[in-house]
Amino acid sequence: MTRTGDTDLTAQSTSDAHAQAAAAAGVQGLLFDDDLRPMPEDVGFRGPTACAAAGITYRQLDYWARTGLVSPSVRPATGSGTQRLYGFRDVLLLKVIKRLLDAGISLQQIRTAIAHLSKRGIDDLTQITLMSDGASVYMCTSPDEVIDLLAGGQGVFGIALGGVWREVEGSLSELPTERADGHDDGDSHANDELAARRRARMTG
């Protein structure tokens, strides 16, 4: 368990806390057992599309890019008229930031949390649940860590990144993509794959 605050975390597990945490995990679905794959690295989304999927404003997107919080990984802006392209993972982080802001977490704490997340690979992200007590953000990589955190009274809310991943995937499957070489990829295989995976989960 990684804590992005300034003090050590001490938590004691109880049977009641285990039961409550198990019930919470049941509501959110399987937090730590997701078979999720990223999109091709050369396929991205323009700023307005990334904003729509993440639920943020273009002003927020621009500010976070300029300050290095979330930079477009597929194609950065290199001059006048150049369209930035955000990858799937970028949009996932934008969505997580929006959730944390809505929960009252400070941008400074969010920057620390995102810095830790950015050091992890795509597969690792799907195995993480972010918990917060409103002041600090904790990164749990197993159900036991979530239980311990709740038992200690530290976790007020949680964000299962696997769940956010699926939500973003569903939103982006309906939106246009573009390849890094500048070609419009609105009807691309990437969109088809996203849509197919979304349908499979809805019918499965």
Side-chain angles (χ1 to χ4, degrees), residues 22-65:
V27 171
Q28 294 188 53
L30 295 177
L31 304 187
F32 302 97
D33 187 23
D34 290 296
D35 181 19
L36 301 171
R37 296 166 293 167
M39 290 177 55
E41 294 182 356
D42 64 337
V43 173
F45 306 89
R46 292 193 178 192
T49 300
C51 288
I56 62 174
T57 67
Y58 193 84
R59 182 176 180 180
Q60 288 175 310
L61 181 78
D62 185 60
Y63 176 71
W64 296 345

Side-chain angles (χ1 to χ4, degrees), residues 111-178:
R111 286 185 183 278
T112 303
I114 295 302
H116 283 287
L117 287 175
S118 296
K119 295 177 183 178
R120 295 175 176 269
I122 290 292
D123 293 337
D124 285 337
L125 286 181
T126 65
Q127 306 300 313
I128 294 173
T129 293
L130 296 180
M131 304 292 292
S132 178
D133 55 8
S136 300
V137 180
Y138 306 83
M139 284 178 284
C140 303
T141 55
S142 74
D144 288 339
E145 290 180 344
V146 174
I147 292 170
D148 288 342
L149 196 58
L150 292 175
Q154 301 294 327
V156 175
F157 73 92
I159 301 174
L161 296 196
V164 179
W165 181 298
R166 288 189 294 271
E167 184 178 339
V168 170
E169 184 181 77
S171 298
L172 290 177
S173 67
E174 307 295 333
L175 297 170
T177 62
E178 184 175 317

Side-chain angles (χ1 to χ4, degrees), residues 7 51 67 108 158 164 187 202:
T7 59
C51 288
T67 58
Q108 181 179 1
V164 179
D187 296 322
M202 293 176 66

